[in-house]
Amino acid sequence: NAGVTQTPKFQVLKTGQSMTLQCAQDMNHEYMSWYRQDPGMGLRLIHYSVGAGITDQGEVPNGYNVSRSTTEDFPLRLLSAAPSQTSVYFCASSLFKDRNYEQYFGPGTRLTVT
Amino acid sequence: AQSVTQLGSHVSVSEGALVLLRCNYSSSVPPYLFWYVQYPNQGLQLLLKYTSAATLVKGINGFEAEFKKSETSFHLTKPSAHMSDAAEYFCAVSRRDFGNEKLTFGTGTRLTIIP
């Protein structure tokens, strides 16, 4: 049971490039989400999914796309990277059985856009 | 709508002293409340959570928090600080209705332990 895994751990992009941050979980969780963490701003929700085929926007969705074709995977796509997207990105998953839940976080991807 | 305010972006305490990290929340429905800890260059780890059972919640590493509805607070405490407690701490709130489980985080409090 690996929990929530994210790849890559580090990435440097040039402005305008695109890339996909990978996230996978092996706990059969229904809910998955992407956050970005910036100094002094805590974690802000980018996109989330309540199950395969269902996604929705969070607080800061602009410049990012997601899809959820399987329960296990929830990739985050940067369409055209901008320096403002330099951040640490965390993926999380959770199960809402009996309304007793917690979110499990991946180790993060540190992205720099130059 | 829901929000979390963490008072004090940096807190320093001496080793062995009381740790108190403050969190106030705003929620239009009964909330779930969480404290997470983040060590340098690592992800977030759950310290404890309030999900409508006992109002005094005990977590890992000797931490506890008390849900006070009248004060809309969920402050985190530890009686005696240890050097290993140095980290950043995040309070988070979630709605308690199924289908709206989004977490809203505070901006974090960095805890420094003075030897």
Side-chain angles (χ1 to χ4, degrees):
Chain A
N1 189 334
V4 180
T5 58
Q6 291 183 238
T7 56
K9 290 187 177 180
F10 301 94
Q11 183 71 49
V12 178
L13 290 178
K14 294 185 186 301
T15 296
Q17 287 184 316
S18 62
M19 80 159 294
T20 299
L21 308 185
Q22 301 292 344
C23 174
Q25 53 93 7
D26 60 0
M27 298 174 281
N28 200 32
H29 285 171
E30 301 154 345
Y31 186 91
M32 296 186 74
S33 52
W34 277 101
Y35 296 87
R36 59 177 290 173
Q37 183 180 25
D38 302 292
M41 303 189 76
L43 279 78
R44 293 179 293 168
L45 183 65
I46 304 171
H47 285 285
Y48 67 99
S49 169
V50 299
I54 307 169
T55 64
D56 205 349
Q57 296 181 349
E59 181 185 354
V60 288
N62 292 340
Y64 307 95
N65 272 359
V66 292
S67 60
R68 183 95 179 270
S69 56
T70 67
T71 300
E72 294 78 20
D73 300 298
F74 191 44
L76 178 72
R77 282 183 290 277
L78 279 70
L79 308 173
S80 177
S84 60
Q85 293 179 304
T86 294
S87 187
V88 181
Y89 291 85
F90 289 100
C91 179
S93 74
S94 53
L95 181 67
F96 295 98
K97 206 167 193 179
D98 301 325
R99 299 192 176 189
N100 181 21
Y101 83 105
E102 66 181 82
Q103 289 205 11
Y104 295 83
F105 284 82
T109 295
R110 188 174 296 273
L111 175 68
T112 302
V113 182
T114 62
Chain B
Q2 58 196 34
S3 65
V4 168
T5 301
Q6 290 185 242
L7 298 175
S9 57
H10 292 85
V11 171
S12 296
V13 302
S14 298
E15 190 176 14
L18 172 71
V19 175
L20 171 61
L21 305 183
R22 299 178 187 274
C23 172
N24 287 89
Y25 71 91
S26 172
S27 177
S28 57
V29 298
Y32 288 152
L33 292 159
F34 306 82
W35 275 99
Y36 283 86
V37 60
Q38 184 181 35
Y39 298 102
N41 299 314
Q42 293 189 25
L44 277 74
Q45 179 183 6
L46 182 69
L47 270 180
L48 51 79
K49 61 184 177 183
Y50 166 76
T51 57
S52 79
T55 56
L56 181 62
V57 181
K58 295 188 183 298
I60 61 172
N61 302 338
F63 284 94
E64 63 181 36
E66 186 171 8
F67 172 69
K68 292 187 176 181
K69 184 178 178 180
S70 61
E71 299 177 8
T72 61
S73 69
F74 191 57
H75 301 330
L76 182 70
T77 60
K78 182 174 180 177
S80 177
H82 191 272
M83 295 301 295
S84 61
D85 294 328
E88 189 153 23
Y89 293 79
F90 293 93
C91 183
V93 63
S94 177
R95 293 165 60 104
R96 207 195 292 179
D97 48 338
F98 187 74
N100 286 281
E101 298 83 359
K102 290 178 286 184
L103 277 179
T104 299
F105 284 86
T107 53
T109 298
R110 185 169 300 278
L111 177 65
T112 301
I113 309 298
I114 304 166

